[in-house]
Amino acid sequence: MLSKSIKNHPTLKFILKTVFYFAVILLLIYLYGYYGAGQEPFIYNEF
């Protein structure tokens, strides 16, 4: 019943997709910071 109402309302579909993709982007940013990418100096900077 819920999926039928989502298919009939393009605005609701757009909002749900936007929230989903925003959450994915936030997750990727969090994981990038959590694993410390870019915190150590790059190996070739000292040559």
Side-chain angles (χ1 to χ4, degrees):
M1 188 163 143
L2 180 63
S3 64
K4 188 176 182 181
S5 67
I6 291 174
K7 289 179 183 177
N8 292 335
H9 296 287
T11 305
L12 182 61
K13 196 174 183 182
F14 172 77
I15 291 171
L16 289 176
K17 279 186 180 182
T18 303
V19 168
F20 173 74
Y21 288 124
F22 183 70
V24 169
I25 289 172
L26 284 179
L27 179 68
L28 289 173
I29 291 171
Y30 171 74
L31 288 176
Y32 183 78
Y34 179 74
Y35 286 116
Q39 290 181 354
E40 295 182 12
F42 190 60
I43 191 170
Y44 296 114
N45 284 347
E46 298 180 15
F47 289 111

